Amino acid sequence: MSLSDFQTLLISLQPHPLLNSSIKKDDYISLDLSIQNPELKAVNVGSSDDLKSFIWNHMQKHNAKAVSGGYLEQRGIYHRSDYFNQENPETERNIHLGLDLWIEANSPIYAPLDGTVHSFKNNTNYGDYGPTIILKHTIENIEFYTLYGHLSLESLDGKAIGVEVKQGQQIATLGTSEVNGDYPPHLHFQIIQDIQDYKGDYPGVSNQIELEFYKQNCPDPNLLLKLN
C-alpha cells in the first residue's frame, strides 16, 4: 500500500480522543520543542523539572488543558542520553517521529480505534519510552499499529497479547518522570505501518540517514487525530 493510500485511510477515520473527551480540540495548544525555537535557549531541556515548568507555563499562558506537537521536530532534548547521542551528526537520533500530548501524570489514555494488543514492554533505557503499549488495527483489510509511550507501570498490569480493545476504551494512564524515561508527563503517540520485528518498542526518534524510511512508515499522527 502506498503512503498516499494509507494517509487517505487515516484521514477518513473518526477516532476517539486519546485524552479525556472533555478536553476538546480547542483546549489544546501547540508547542515547538525543536532546536529552532529560540525560547528554549534559556531552558535546561536536559532537566525534566525545568522542561516541565516551561511546558506548563506555556499551557497556562494560553489557558489550555493540554499541549501537543513534535512530529518531525529536530530536538536537543535527546543529547543528554547515550541511548540517542552519537558523535556523527548524521547518525545521531534527534528527529521525533510521533506526536506528544503533554498533560498531568496519571491522566487516562483511551484507544482511538478498535484493535488488539500487539505487544507491551517497559523500555528502561535512560530517555526511552518507559512503559509502552502497541495496538494492532485492521481497517478495510489494512493492518497498521499505534504506539503509546511514557505510560505508568500500572498500565502494563493485566495486559495480554491478542486481547481485543474497543474504540474509546481506557488502555493506560500516563507515568511520572520517575518511570517514563525522565521526561515531564506526556503521551508519545505514533502510527506505524510496518512494525517489522519489534515488540513493545519501535524507534520514536530518527537520524538523518534513516529519516525518509521512517517518514514513509510513520506518517503524521495528526492525519488521524486532526488536532490541528
Side-chain angles (χ1 to χ4, degrees):
M1 180 179 56
S2 69
L3 175 62
S4 60
D5 289 342
F6 187 36
Q7 290 176 331
T8 299
L9 171 66
L10 295 174
I11 292 169
S12 72
L13 300 175
Q14 297 299 319
H16 186 280
L18 293 175
L19 304 182
N20 195 300
S21 57
S22 65
I23 302 176
K24 307 302 182 185
K25 291 182 181 179
D26 289 345
D27 293 324
Y28 288 86
I29 185 67
S30 61
L31 176 61
D32 176 9
L33 290 179
S34 75
I35 59 176
Q36 284 79 29
N37 184 351
E39 293 183 31
L40 288 177
K41 292 181 179 180
V43 180
N44 177 12
V45 296
S47 164
S48 60
D49 289 338
D50 289 359
L51 185 59
K52 179 179 179 179
S53 294
F54 176 78
I55 295 170
W56 259 239
N57 287 339
H58 180 77
M59 181 163 54
Q60 292 169 359
K61 177 182 176 181
H62 294 275
N63 197 29
K65 296 181 180 178
V67 174
S68 67
Y71 182 64
L72 299 187
E73 283 183 353
Q74 185 176 6
R75 292 176 167 178
I77 189 173
Y78 307 115
H79 289 308
R80 63 188 183 143
S81 173
D82 292 338
Y83 183 61
F84 297 101
N85 199 18
Q86 304 286 333
E87 291 184 6
N88 184 344
E90 290 189 338
T91 58
E92 179 182 352
R93 296 169 55 210
N94 60 10
I95 303 171
H96 192 248
L97 299 173
L99 180 77
D100 285 337
L101 302 180
W102 307 84
I103 196 170
E104 293 85 357
N106 301 311
S107 295
I109 304 300
Y110 300 90
L113 305 165
D114 291 343
T116 59
V117 176
H118 170 268
S119 52
F120 52 94
K121 180 183 176 184
N122 187 8
N123 298 284
T124 58
N125 293 298
Y126 180 59
D128 208 336
Y129 289 129
T132 307
I133 296 172
I134 297 176
L135 300 183
K136 177 181 177 180
H137 310 278
T138 305
I139 299 176
E140 298 180 9
N141 296 318
I142 296 172
E143 291 184 357
F144 63 98
Y145 304 82
T146 51
L147 181 149
Y148 309 79
H150 308 299
L151 306 176
S152 66
L153 288 171
E154 293 78 10
S155 299
L156 304 186
D157 291 346
K159 289 293 185 293
I161 293 172
V163 171
E164 185 177 8
V165 174
K166 290 294 187 181
Q167 183 181 51
Q169 177 181 335
Q170 183 178 338
I171 59 170
T173 56
L174 286 186
T176 63
S177 60
E178 288 78 15
V179 301
N180 77 355
D182 192 31
Y183 295 100
H186 73 288
L187 175 71
H188 173 101
F189 176 73
Q190 188 167 332
I191 298 173
I192 305 162
Q193 190 169 1
D194 178 5
I195 198 68
Q196 301 167 277
D197 294 325
Y198 286 92
K199 290 181 172 60
D201 189 18
Y202 191 83
V205 184
S206 175
N207 56 36
Q208 289 287 350
I209 293 174
E210 299 174 306
L211 182 57
E212 287 307 312
F213 166 77
Y214 284 118
K215 285 169 65 176
Q216 296 287 319
N217 202 39
C218 301
D220 187 349
N222 255 320
L223 294 172
L224 173 66
L225 300 182
K226 305 170 182 68
L227 292 179
N228 53 44

